[in-house]
Amino acid sequence: MTQKTAEKLNALLTKASKGPPIRVAIVQPTLEVVIEGAVEAYKKNLIEPVFIGPMQRVAKIAHKAKINLDKFECIDVPHSHAAGAKAVEMANAGKVFTLMKGGQHTDEFLLAILDSTTGLRTDKRMSHCFVIDVPDQKKLFLLTDAAINMAPTLVEKVDIVQNAINFGIALGIKIPKVALLAAVEVINPKMQATLDAAALCKMADRKQITGAIIDGPLAYDNAISAQAAKMKGIDSRVAGHPDILVVPNLESGNMLAKQLIYLADARVAGIVLGAKVPIILTSRSDNVYGRVMSCALAKLYAAYLFALTKN
Amino acid sequence: MTQKTAEKLNALLTKASKGPPIRVAIVQPTLEVVIEGAVEAYKKNLIEPVFIGPMQRVAKIAHKAKINLDKFECIDVPHSHAAGAKAVEMANAGKVFTLMKGGQHTDEFLLAILDSTTGLRTDKRMSHCFVIDVPDQKKLFLLTDAAINMAPTLVEKVDIVQNAINFGIALGIKIPKVALLAAVEVINPKMQATLDAAALCKMADRKQITGAIIDGPLAYDNAISAQAAKMKGIDSRVAGHPDILVVPNLESGNMLAKQLIYLADARVAGIVLGAKVPIILTSRSDNVYGRVMSCALAKLYAAYLFALTKN
């Protein structure tokens, strides 16, 4: 992943680098790239990292990578479970405003977060949202949920959509246009995705979902291309101009995102929405740029959440 | 039922009485009120009745009611099954343009009509539609389906709604406003009626249902009252101004219609839509006025269907 072609993501990064950095718990930073990403995000004025992990081991890795952790807050805990618990405790106490995954497995990382009494759950279902920069496209796409919710029900999709709308607004999109993707743009009673899309649209009409213009079902072609939508005679305020693409299930979202990355030279970053604080769930294979970019997204979203609590 | 308060229905009757009468099969006219209704509709220039039944028995009933059937076409058949079969045969041959039920049971009457090879089915599901004249209301309401489809699926509702729209247009409503009723106006994933309503709205957006402005789910209060809709913050082109009320199931529709008749002094007439010709399915307890009014509706709808076949 290079920074060269990611102009639209970089613009977000520039935006996020303004204002004071937010305190981010770097949970179990036992990989060089995790520490490097956190320090890079610190240098860009995005975050103030709080490293939580087995610090003797972490220090060794940092030393090998020629990174000095002396000026950062470091909290020594015996293992990754303790790191997760400590990070969640700090988030609940308002001492950190984002959690970033380190070298542990995702399931392990999410365990403390999802705990129904001590965790970071809200009344919303948690969902993942990618922000995708496709070269030659005028604007960024948000894609949800390609990482957490496998086959969401209608009730779960309500939260997935609302989370993404809120995130879009946090990133500066005033009234996001949401395309609810399916294999076809018509209602087919045998295709649940088309029925769910119709229900979500009506929920937006009835203000059960707010802040966006929503349309669906839309097939991928007529969601993305105004021309394709026109040829099909689709009268839609979203078709051809979506900000947010909502996929009906994880498989389709995952493949869409990866195809954009591998065949359309797209750059992506993503965070988890719907918890008390943004959660950065980078894959262990993500590079420094992806991690820095995720910190930028988290900072913008955290500012949005903070503004909400003040109102 | 009196004619006095049914101004809006009477206006339809006046409209229908213009132009040449249509040939209507009066199937098994073994009740006085059936013969009387048909003759009255004839006098109002609505229909040219073709009596099909056991004519010796029919003649006796007519004679008792001092009605002379000499000037009408009468087809002698041994029993009600044969009457139904003959009527359907004539409708298929274009010799009658409406079927009207007589003294037999509804199930028996529908048997010949529903026959999948010799009957009068089209690609649409058959459905019933009431036209309701409520005093002090500015316009007529159409109510569907309160008589045939008990617990229609989404696929069946598509036909029920489209049939009613076509019928509304046939009655002179340029772009009918359709309210899809449910117990609530929001999407509740546990209430199928709300999900179906959302799907039907999107189908209208995608032109899978045409000719109308559709909204739903709407609760009865906000469907009927613009004030109630406003108080609930519902932004709808239909709420407060519906032409067509679509009920989610037969029970609710049946009770709505009967309550309007018994407590709101409403006058109603109805026909069956979606077959090759209109079908008048009056109850045996319906009076002459209701039968005449049904003939008027059938004539207007038959004219609409005829115009369609010419295009």
Side-chain angles (χ1 to χ4, degrees):
Chain A
M1 202 184 282
T2 65
Q3 294 181 49
K4 212 170 56 181
T5 56
E7 286 171 20
K8 299 177 286 287
L9 273 180
N10 287 341
L12 272 190
L13 201 150
T14 303
K15 183 178 173 183
S17 66
K18 287 163 193 164
I22 54 165
R23 282 168 63 86
V24 174
I26 315 297
V27 187
Q28 190 71 0
T30 52
L31 284 175
E32 191 182 312
V33 71
V34 171
I35 303 170
E36 221 180 316
V39 172
E40 200 60 38
Y42 162 79
K43 287 183 187 163
K44 295 208 184 300
N45 198 41
L46 297 170
I47 72 168
E48 185 186 319
V50 179
F51 293 97
I52 307 175
M55 287 316 296
Q56 206 173 357
R57 193 172 145 207
V58 171
K60 263 188 207 162
I61 296 163
H63 183 75
K64 205 176 142 198
K66 294 171 189 164
I67 296 171
N68 187 349
L69 294 182
D70 288 352
K71 60 178 162 185
F72 300 116
E73 186 174 340
C74 293
I75 298 174
D76 189 38
V77 291
H79 46 63
S80 63
H81 279 274
K86 182 68 188 169
V88 166
E89 183 198 315
M90 290 180 75
N92 269 321
K95 290 179 183 168
V96 294
F97 300 96
T98 292
L99 264 55
M100 188 175 197
K101 188 174 91 79
Q104 73 277 59
H105 280 282
T106 299
D107 291 353
E108 204 183 306
F109 176 60
L110 288 177
L111 208 65
I113 294 167
L114 293 175
D115 188 288
S116 57
T117 50
T118 61
L120 295 175
R121 286 193 163 177
T122 65
D123 59 341
K124 291 242 176 303
R125 188 171 181 88
M126 285 166 53
S127 60
H128 184 271
C129 194
F130 273 127
V131 181
I132 305 184
D133 189 333
V134 184
D136 302 332
Q137 290 291 316
K138 278 188 189 160
K139 54 184 183 177
L140 291 167
F141 296 123
L142 275 60
L143 177 70
T144 189
D145 180 341
I148 291 188
N149 291 284
M150 298 190 199
T153 63
L154 173 58
V155 173
E156 291 162 356
K157 285 178 185 176
V158 174
D159 284 349
I160 292 171
V161 170
Q162 188 68 63
N163 284 344
I165 292 168
N166 297 350
F167 185 43
I169 293 169
L171 299 186
I173 308 165
K174 277 187 188 160
I175 303 173
K177 292 182 176 171
V178 181
L180 305 168
L181 294 178
V184 292
E185 70 282 356
V186 291
I187 298 297
N188 181 335
K190 290 179 185 162
M191 297 168 102
Q192 190 59 41
T194 69
L195 297 170
D196 286 354
L200 292 165
C201 289
K202 187 53 68 179
M203 285 172 135
D205 288 349
R206 296 290 187 264
K207 303 176 187 74
Q208 294 171 273
I209 297 173
T210 56
I213 299 166
I214 304 185
D215 195 17
L218 288 167
Y220 191 86
D221 55 346
N222 42 59
I224 288 293
S225 157
Q227 180 73 11
K230 201 179 165 191
M231 281 175 65
K232 284 249 180 172
I234 298 170
D235 186 17
S236 167
R237 294 167 71 193
V238 173
H241 316 282
D243 297 295
I244 300 173
L245 301 172
V246 179
V247 291
N249 55 46
L250 190 141
E251 284 95 343
S252 56
N254 192 283
M255 288 184 247
L256 273 188
K258 285 177 179 161
Q259 181 167 265
L260 284 173
I261 295 166
Y262 286 89
L263 301 185
D265 208 22
R267 301 293 174 263
V268 312
I271 61 169
V272 176
L273 312 165
K276 285 181 195 161
V277 297
I279 293 163
I280 300 174
L281 199 69
T282 42
S283 157
R284 283 185 288 181
S285 65
D286 282 345
N287 67 6
V288 171
Y289 176 74
R291 289 164 192 277
V292 170
M293 199 56 235
S294 296
C295 288
L297 298 178
K299 185 179 176 185
L300 293 169
Y301 187 55
Y304 167 85
L305 293 180
F306 185 69
L308 278 190
T309 60
K310 274 176 65 184
N311 287 340
Chain B
M1 201 184 283
T2 65
Q3 294 179 50
K4 212 168 58 181
T5 55
E7 285 171 19
K8 299 178 287 285
L9 273 180
N10 288 341
L12 272 190
L13 200 151
T14 303
K15 184 178 172 181
S17 66
K18 286 162 192 162
I22 54 165
R23 281 169 64 87
V24 174
I26 316 297
V27 187
Q28 190 72 0
T30 51
L31 284 175
E32 191 181 312
V33 70
V34 172
I35 303 171
E36 221 179 316
V39 172
E40 199 59 38
Y42 162 79
K43 286 183 186 161
K44 294 207 183 302
N45 199 40
L46 297 170
I47 71 167
E48 185 186 317
V50 179
F51 293 98
I52 308 175
M55 287 317 296
Q56 208 173 357
R57 192 173 145 207
V58 171
K60 262 188 206 162
I61 296 163
H63 182 75
K64 203 175 146 198
K66 292 172 190 165
I67 296 170
N68 186 348
L69 294 182
D70 288 353
K71 61 179 163 183
F72 301 116
E73 187 174 340
C74 293
I75 298 174
D76 188 37
V77 292
H79 46 63
S80 63
H81 279 273
K86 182 66 188 173
V88 166
E89 183 198 314
M90 288 179 77
N92 269 321
K95 290 179 183 167
V96 295
F97 299 96
T98 294
L99 264 55
M100 188 175 198
K101 187 174 93 78
Q104 74 278 58
H105 281 283
T106 300
D107 290 353
E108 203 182 307
F109 176 60
L110 289 177
L111 208 65
I113 294 166
L114 293 174
D115 187 287
S116 59
T117 51
T118 61
L120 295 176
R121 286 192 161 178
T122 66
D123 59 341
K124 292 241 178 300
R125 186 170 183 88
M126 285 164 54
S127 59
H128 183 272
C129 194
F130 273 127
V131 181
I132 304 184
D133 189 332
V134 183
D136 302 331
Q137 289 290 317
K138 279 192 188 155
K139 54 185 185 177
L140 291 166
F141 296 124
L142 275 59
L143 177 70
T144 190
D145 181 340
I148 291 188
N149 292 283
M150 298 189 197
T153 63
L154 173 58
V155 173
E156 291 161 356
K157 285 178 185 175
V158 175
D159 285 348
I160 291 171
V161 170
Q162 188 67 64
N163 283 345
I165 293 168
N166 297 350
F167 184 44
I169 293 170
L171 300 186
I173 308 166
K174 278 186 186 161
I175 303 173
K177 292 180 176 174
V178 181
L180 305 169
L181 294 178
V184 292
E185 71 282 357
V186 292
I187 300 296
N188 181 335
K190 290 178 185 163
M191 297 169 102
Q192 190 59 39
T194 69
L195 298 170
D196 286 352
L200 292 165
C201 289
K202 187 53 70 178
M203 286 172 135
D205 288 349
R206 297 290 188 263
K207 304 175 187 77
Q208 294 171 272
I209 297 173
T210 56
I213 300 166
I214 304 184
D215 194 16
L218 287 167
Y220 191 85
D221 56 345
N222 43 59
I224 289 293
S225 157
Q227 180 74 9
K230 201 180 166 189
M231 282 174 66
K232 284 249 180 172
I234 298 170
D235 186 17
S236 167
R237 294 168 71 193
V238 173
H241 317 282
D243 296 296
I244 300 174
L245 301 172
V246 179
V247 290
N249 56 46
L250 190 140
E251 283 95 344
S252 56
N254 193 283
M255 288 185 248
L256 273 189
K258 286 176 179 161
Q259 182 167 265
L260 284 173
I261 295 167
Y262 285 89
L263 300 186
D265 207 23
R267 301 295 174 262
V268 311
I271 61 169
V272 176
L273 312 165
K276 284 181 195 161
V277 297
I279 293 164
I280 300 174
L281 199 69
T282 42
S283 156
R284 282 185 288 178
S285 65
D286 282 345
N287 67 5
V288 170
Y289 177 72
R291 289 164 192 278
V292 169
M293 200 56 234
S294 296
C295 288
L297 298 179
K299 186 179 176 185
L300 293 169
Y301 187 55
Y304 168 85
L305 293 180
F306 185 68
L308 278 190
T309 60
K310 275 175 67 183
N311 288 340

